[in-house]
Amino acid sequence: MAGKQHLSFWQIWNMSFGFLGIQFGFALQGGFMSRIFQTLGAEKDALPLLWIAAPLTGLLVQPVIGYLSDRTWHPILGRRRPFFLIGAILSSIALLFMPHSPTLWVAAGMLWVLDASINISMEPFRALVADKLPDEQRSYGFVVQTLIIGIGTWVASNLPWMVNQLGVSNVAAPGVVPDSVKIAFAIGAAVFLLSILVTVVTTPESPPEDMARFEEERRDGSLVRDILHLVRHMPRQMFNIGVVQFFSWLAFFSMWSMATPALTDHVFGAPAPDPAAFDMAVAAQAEAFTGANQAFQNAADLVGSYMGYYGLSSMAVALLLSFYAARRVVNRRLVHFVSLTLGGLGFLSMYFVPAPVYLIGSFALVGVAWASILSMPYALLASAVDPRRMGVYMGIFNMFIVIPQIVAATLLGPTLRGLFDTQPIAALMISGASLLVGAACLSRVDEPRTVRAPAMAAAH
């Protein structure tokens, strides 16, 4: 680690640029999968369970990909970049086919494929920052990643609305996903692949310092045994940060799976119509369904657009943090505490907004939390683990991301039915409370001491 050179802003930017495509995939999935599910006939309280594909694939894929990338060396592509490329190709194919799903269960199956593919690309990206940057630049590196993620979130969340403004239809026959969503996913597929290629082409990786030892460890390793050993003996700091991550990602999974039904209903007054409640053979009934469906699709577009503001806000916060982190040492624990608190208040405010436009402010506060969630925990963690096992540790750490999503996927629907009369807005109130609990749990996390990097100010 002592031999690592400080990188310039543009070197770090190119190294992280593939996250633009990864976030296009995640933002389209997060903003519009529930809309696709509802269009194909899913009930509101069934949405979280349909989303279970995403965390389950992450639970299985992330530690395995992290372990394999630690033990990979390709003479041309290096250690992490083979996984970037494979994941990008598979993700782009899944994004192209997803909105063309003919039935609900095909769409749910495609979500499994899409999320597994995104994870193949995403997991090694976190490790790449720790591989290439010295400790004092890691906060800076993760913040630049977050800046790019914010750009991707905002643009991708607005894609269906933008495509609709260009004249592409926003409505379709019952059970058919509108063309505006199909084209948005196709654009996302192209951006995913191209942005990953930018990182693959511009970012070289250094071979292991001791290749003979590297080959010996690769031959002697046992995937299941080694992962289980590291899980049992994870550093205390890693576990404590993981508890904070649990409540953070419980909040965001609830938002991704339930924001569309919650806000189209509670704020816009335009819930998804049930085709079974209309007799399509009667002209007046068919017309009523068409009107209700048009209102829902328009409201869903605007929900996606307003959700984009959390990406825009996170981009602004990341930009400010990147300027600060380039010159000074960041108190990561304090930044994370303030950010999660503001995000929790943003979620809670959604229940009380007097008009849809006020959702901009709510999501802007959520974006502050999102910017911190994508950078500060990883910066806190990177100093606490063995750099030779950075990939597998990042994969294991992400178990604290996927386990809360599995909990939400299985329990959120029954909770809404049993305690909140199936009112989907309650899911966003749970998100707010969860972020506030996560902020409180930071009291058990240590703030590592880091030296200041005098060269970083000149890195721009």
Side-chain angles (χ1 to χ4, degrees):
M1 192 157 63
K4 294 179 184 177
Q5 296 182 346
H6 288 89
L7 300 186
S8 70
F9 170 80
W10 288 113
Q11 286 173 311
I12 296 173
W13 176 272
N14 288 335
M15 178 177 67
S16 303
F17 192 75
F19 249 111
L20 180 71
I22 291 173
Q23 196 55 34
F24 260 70
F26 272 129
L28 288 169
Q29 172 183 299
F32 302 101
M33 274 313 303
S34 288
R35 176 179 180 178
I36 291 173
F37 286 152
Q38 285 190 280
T39 299
L40 295 174
E43 297 293 335
K44 287 182 289 190
D45 58 352
L47 291 174
L49 193 57
L50 288 168
W51 270 82
I52 200 170
L56 277 179
T57 52
L59 183 65
L60 298 173
V61 170
Q62 289 174 354
V64 172
I65 293 299
Y67 181 89
L68 294 177
S69 71
D70 282 343
R71 285 161 172 73
T72 294
W73 182 256
H74 187 276
I76 297 174
L77 293 176
R79 172 178 289 180
R80 314 295 181 186
R81 290 181 297 167
F83 297 91
F84 300 166
L85 200 54
I86 293 168
I89 293 169
L90 295 175
S91 297
S92 297
I93 293 171
L95 283 167
L96 279 173
F97 282 97
M98 173 67 76
H100 296 273
S101 301
T103 65
L104 180 60
W105 292 109
V106 171
M110 287 302 301
L111 180 58
W112 283 80
V113 176
L114 175 61
D115 205 79
S117 303
I118 294 176
N119 275 296
I120 292 172
S121 282
M122 182 191 72
E123 180 50 45
F125 259 101
R126 299 293 189 192
L128 182 67
V129 170
D131 287 346
K132 292 187 67 68
L133 294 179
D135 186 64
E136 62 270 17
Q137 267 198 315
R138 284 176 181 164
S139 292
Y140 186 37
F142 286 119
V143 164
V144 172
Q145 272 192 359
T146 303
L147 174 61
I148 293 172
I149 288 170
I151 295 170
T153 300
W154 183 75
V155 176
S157 296
N158 281 283
L159 268 180
W161 176 83
M162 292 175 181
V163 170
N164 179 237
Q165 297 306 300
L166 294 175
V168 178
S169 177
N170 193 36
V171 293
V176 177
V177 176
D179 286 343
S180 59
V181 176
K182 293 176 180 176
I183 292 175
F185 272 67
I187 294 171
V191 172
F192 200 123
L193 185 58
L194 292 173
S195 65
I196 291 285
L197 286 174
V198 169
T199 293
V200 169
V201 170
T202 62
T203 305
E205 294 186 80
S206 300
E209 293 181 7
D210 188 340
M211 185 60 77
R213 181 181 177 185
F214 176 80
E215 291 291 347
E216 183 181 350
E217 289 180 349
R218 182 163 62 176
R219 286 193 304 269
D220 294 343
S222 170
L223 187 151
V224 175
R225 183 194 66 205
D226 291 352
I227 290 177
L228 290 177
H229 175 79
L230 293 174
V231 169
R232 287 196 301 268
H233 298 92
M234 72 173 64
R236 181 179 62 85
Q237 173 85 335
M238 181 174 174
F239 179 81
N240 290 341
I241 302 169
V243 172
V244 179
Q245 288 288 80
F246 178 93
F247 290 104
S248 302
W249 285 86
L250 180 69
F252 275 85
F253 183 87
S254 299
M255 179 191 76
W256 291 325
S257 61
M258 296 302 295
T260 295
L263 299 176
T264 54
D265 184 358
H266 183 76
V267 177
F268 288 87
D274 180 4
F278 298 83
D279 185 351
M280 296 302 178
V282 178
Q285 289 281 303
E287 185 177 349
F289 173 83
T290 300
N293 188 44
Q294 175 79 68
F296 167 70
Q297 298 291 353
N298 288 342
D301 263 1
L302 288 173
V303 169
S305 181
Y306 287 139
M307 284 180 70
Y309 280 94
Y310 89 81
L312 193 63
S313 170
S314 69
M315 180 174 63
V317 171
L319 188 61
L320 292 173
L321 282 174
S322 69
F323 283 126
Y324 186 89
R327 293 160 176 81
R328 296 176 177 83
V329 175
V330 176
N331 186 319
R332 291 161 280 193
R333 186 174 68 168
L334 178 61
V335 167
H336 204 38
F337 173 81
V338 173
S339 300
L340 293 184
T341 301
L342 291 175
L345 295 176
F347 276 123
L348 295 175
S349 71
M350 293 179 190
Y351 185 87
F352 303 100
V353 294
V357 70
Y358 289 94
L359 289 172
I360 294 174
S362 298
F363 277 114
L365 290 175
V366 169
V368 176
W370 184 235
S372 189
I373 288 167
L374 294 176
S375 54
M376 293 302 112
Y378 297 97
L380 284 162
L381 174 68
S383 304
V385 299
D386 182 351
R388 292 177 303 160
R389 296 185 172 91
M390 191 63 67
V392 67
Y393 268 124
M394 288 291 181
I396 292 170
F397 184 61
N398 281 339
M399 292 170 60
F400 293 104
I401 292 174
V402 297
I403 290 173
Q405 295 180 62
I406 294 170
V407 170
T410 52
L411 298 182
L412 188 56
T415 300
L416 294 178
R417 285 194 300 272
L419 299 180
F420 300 103
D421 193 28
T422 320
Q423 295 298 313
I425 191 63
L428 301 184
M429 300 304 97
I430 292 171
S431 293
S434 188
L435 281 188
L436 295 178
V437 172
C441 290
L442 276 163
S443 62
R444 298 180 61 83
V445 173
D446 297 326
E447 172 62 30
R449 294 175 62 87
T450 346
V451 298
R452 182 174 177 178
M456 290 166 65
H460 290 273

